[in-house]
Amino acid sequence: MSRAYDVVVIGAGSVGVPAALSLARQGLRVLVIDRCHSPGQENNKKAIGGVRATHSDYGKIQVSLRSIEIFSGWEAEHGDDIGWLSNGYSFPAYSEDDATKLRDLLKVQKGYGLDIDWLSPHEYEALVPGIDTTGLLGATYSPGDGSSMPLPAINAFYFKSLAHGATYRWGESVTGIETEGGRVRAVRTDKASYACGWVVNCAGNDAAAVSALAGLSVPVVPDCHEGAVTEPVQRFFGPMVVDLRPAPDSANYYFYQNKEGHVVFCITPDPPILGADSDATSVFLPQVARRMVALYPRLAHLKIRRTWRGQYPMTPDGFPIVGCAPELAGWVHNVGMCGQGFMLGPGLGELVTRIITATPNNDDDRILAGFHPKRRFKGMEVFK
């Protein structure tokens, strides 16, 4: 048996590394295990970098608001430029149905404390000059949302976690979970065994497989999404633009201009493409480019630098699975981020730490109720 740890975190990605940082800050002995050889080498480096609190659920909103505080204040507090930009998120409405849904959701979001408003077509065009206004009914806009650069951010979190004493084991695959008396006792890998009191499953695409090693079941299934990035150009529009209108073989798509001037974009396939195949396709770029240029003709002049494919580890209702496993003491789920692990990760890291250290705040019970591993999965995130 190798050295004993207070907590073993499985997965060094968008949720695992912030969790390790938060846990180590509390003086816990933390080990992170990942089969890759550096942080963020699975879906983190494939994220497009958007960070929003404009969700429909109290828990996701509160967690994301805390993440935004962490992202936006990181450079001032720690000195690392992680590419944060408070560019906001926008959801334009081109149908009465979408306008009604967005206005109804806006009331809920305002009730949960979000800074979000409804813009007229003229006001929205001022934010996104040259956007197609044919049939535009208005848009929601949340200026406090923003974006960060995934690899610089996770590396900043990683090195800060090292400074607080977290340990990482690279190139190791988890092969088993040892239990005794209904409680976690150790994590086995293909190279060693690590005694521990707690395990936090942050395994992303492999969440279900890792849980199964402990005799647990979580309904997390990855589906594939593709993204791309353009050459950098002078800033010419502000917020993330999320076009909700469906088209053949796709649902919504979204794009924004990051701090360095690159336009980054992604599309949601419909029907979903299940699995963990990370090979880019020849279908994605023509599909999304036609839609983007029709909406925003100025994009036609940009050159594409590269495309890639990643996964959204999905749950049936679009909400993450976070909290203690009722069947196994010492096991904490932190999985099923539904493509939002990058934006949820820092806030969830602190939430998981409060669970393990038994220091809940006044909102945690309400937040965790929506993320509960044994919920009925009958709801659905709006505009997920």
Side-chain angles (χ1 to χ4, degrees), residues 50-127:
V51 180
R52 66 181 172 99
T54 45
H55 303 290
S56 61
D57 169 75
Y58 179 81
K60 285 180 73 175
I61 288 172
Q62 298 307 315
V63 167
S64 294
L65 285 173
R66 177 56 187 147
S67 288
I68 288 171
E69 290 178 350
I70 294 169
F71 280 114
S72 63
W74 188 271
E75 185 173 7
E77 183 175 354
H78 302 289
D80 307 307
D81 181 1
I82 61 172
W84 175 258
L85 181 67
S86 292
N87 52 306
Y89 261 70
S90 68
F91 290 75
Y94 288 88
S95 72
E96 291 290 351
D97 184 55
D98 281 345
T100 298
K101 289 178 180 178
L102 286 167
R103 285 180 179 274
D104 288 346
L105 180 57
L106 184 146
K107 297 174 186 175
V108 174
Q109 292 166 331
K110 277 184 169 292
Y112 290 155
L114 286 185
D115 178 14
I116 183 169
D117 282 300
W118 181 261
L119 303 184
S120 69
H122 178 72
E123 290 171 323
Y124 189 61
E125 189 178 16
L127 278 179

Side-chain angles (χ1 to χ4, degrees), residues 132-380:
D132 180 22
T133 58
T134 305
L136 179 64
L137 302 175
T140 57
Y141 173 55
S142 49
D145 292 337
S147 57
S148 182
M149 301 180 73
L151 280 175
I154 199 169
N155 278 301
F157 300 155
Y158 165 65
F159 284 112
K160 187 60 65 175
S161 74
L162 291 179
H164 284 282
T167 301
Y168 288 76
R169 292 287 184 266
W170 302 113
E172 293 192 29
S173 296
V174 175
T175 58
I177 306 297
E178 297 178 15
T179 66
E180 182 181 346
R183 183 169 190 88
V184 167
R185 293 301 181 196
V187 176
R188 293 196 309 272
T189 75
D190 52 355
K191 295 181 181 179
S193 180
Y194 305 98
C196 59
W198 293 86
V199 172
V200 184
N201 182 4
C202 301
N205 289 350
D206 298 321
V210 168
S211 292
L213 293 174
L216 304 172
S217 176
V218 291
V220 178
V221 178
D223 70 36
C224 296
H225 293 243
E226 292 186 72
V229 63
T230 73
E231 63 185 339
V233 294
Q234 185 175 350
R235 180 159 303 282
F236 63 99
F237 71 102
M240 175 83 75
V241 177
V242 184
D243 188 353
L244 298 168
R245 293 171 293 180
D249 300 318
S250 60
N252 59 29
Y253 67 96
Y254 35 98
F255 58 91
Y256 77 103
Q257 191 172 19
N258 70 15
K259 187 177 181 180
E260 295 185 342
H262 306 272
V263 175
V264 194
F265 53 96
C266 185
I267 199 168
T268 301
D270 187 21
I273 302 170
L274 302 182
D277 183 354
S278 292
D279 290 335
T281 71
S282 60
V283 175
F284 160 71
L285 198 53
Q287 180 188 54
V288 72
R290 282 192 295 268
R291 296 185 66 181
M292 289 173 62
V293 171
L295 176 66
Y296 200 13
R298 294 179 69 177
L299 297 171
H301 304 289
L302 299 182
K303 296 177 182 177
I304 307 299
R305 279 198 165 177
R306 65 183 180 93
T307 66
W308 64 88
R309 192 181 200 183
Q311 286 77 44
Y312 287 12
M314 297 299 298
T315 64
D317 58 5
F319 297 104
I321 298 171
V322 181
C324 293
E327 316 93 316
L328 183 61
W331 185 277
V332 178
H333 298 290
N334 196 18
V335 298
M337 300 298 136
C338 303
Q340 296 166 347
F342 181 64
M343 68 179 72
L344 293 170
L348 285 178
E350 293 186 349
L351 176 61
V352 164
T353 299
R354 293 194 298 273
I355 292 172
I356 290 174
T357 59
T359 56
N361 66 28
N362 293 333
D363 288 330
D364 285 352
D365 284 347
R366 185 178 179 185
I367 291 170
L368 288 168
F371 300 164
H372 197 281
K374 295 300 181 182
R375 65 184 185 269
R376 297 181 64 192
F377 296 97
K378 294 297 185 181
M380 184 59 63

